[in-house]
């Protein structure tokens, strides 16, 4: 199971312990998409956000490299690519503390039972 902690210092764990991603950009992309899990983003938006100093071509190459490295580094790949967009892909093998917190916060019955 993959576990992301976004509340507090961001970190990533699997059953064997903490996972260290190959770059800060990979980490930033993963955490950003997890935090904004109800939205899809055009690749151009993400390139502007993470590689604002790069040309569009360089940014697209950098994004492609980061996605490849994430696929190689994570036991579960929690991102979905649809055409020119990327989004968080909910999966039973991925736990995100922020999503759990939001689910409890939005459900008065769950909050009352805690």
């Amino acid at each position: 199971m993959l576990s992301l902690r976004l509340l507090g210092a961001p970190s990533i764990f699997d059953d064997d312990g903490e996972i260290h991603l190959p770059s800060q950009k990979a980490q930033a992309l993963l955490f950003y998409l997890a935090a904004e899990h109800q939205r899809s983003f055009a690749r151009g938006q993400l390139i502007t956000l993470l590689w604002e100093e790069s040309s569009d071509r360089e940014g697209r190459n950098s994004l492609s490299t980061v996605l490849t490295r994430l696929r190689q580094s994570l036991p579960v790949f929690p991102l979905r690519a649809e055409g020119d967009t990327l989004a968080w892909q909910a999966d039973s093998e991925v736990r995100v503390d922020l999503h759990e917190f939001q689910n409890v916060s939005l459900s008065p019955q769950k909050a009352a039972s805690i």
Side-chain angles (χ1 to χ4, degrees):
M1 174 172 279
L2 184 66
S3 179
L4 273 73
R5 293 182 188 162
L6 300 179
L7 301 174
S11 56
I12 308 164
F13 292 86
D14 66 5
D15 296 334
D16 297 325
E18 189 167 5
I19 296 173
H20 297 280
L21 294 179
S23 73
Q24 290 181 344
K25 300 280 185 168
Q27 203 171 33
L29 177 66
L30 185 68
F31 293 154
Y32 185 73
L33 292 175
E36 296 290 335
H37 64 100
Q38 296 176 338
R39 296 177 54 196
S40 293
F41 293 90
R43 290 175 188 259
Q45 287 177 287
L46 297 170
I47 291 165
T48 299
L49 180 68
L50 295 170
W51 294 278
E52 74 248 4
E53 70 285 348
S54 299
S55 69
D56 186 58
R57 182 177 172 195
E58 290 171 335
R60 286 190 177 275
N61 287 339
S62 296
L63 179 59
S64 179
T65 299
V66 162
L67 291 171
T68 298
R69 289 183 178 164
L70 284 172
R71 280 187 189 92
Q72 294 169 345
S73 301
L74 299 173
V76 177
F77 186 68
L79 305 180
R80 178 181 71 246
E82 294 177 346
D84 197 44
T85 64
L86 288 172
W88 184 258
Q89 176 68 51
D91 188 299
S92 62
E93 291 295 313
V94 180
R95 179 185 167 272
V96 180
D97 63 352
L98 176 63
H99 302 175
E100 293 172 357
F101 177 77
Q102 289 170 331
N103 288 339
V104 170
S105 296
L106 295 175
S107 173
Q109 292 172 336
K110 287 182 183 178
S113 67
I114 294 179

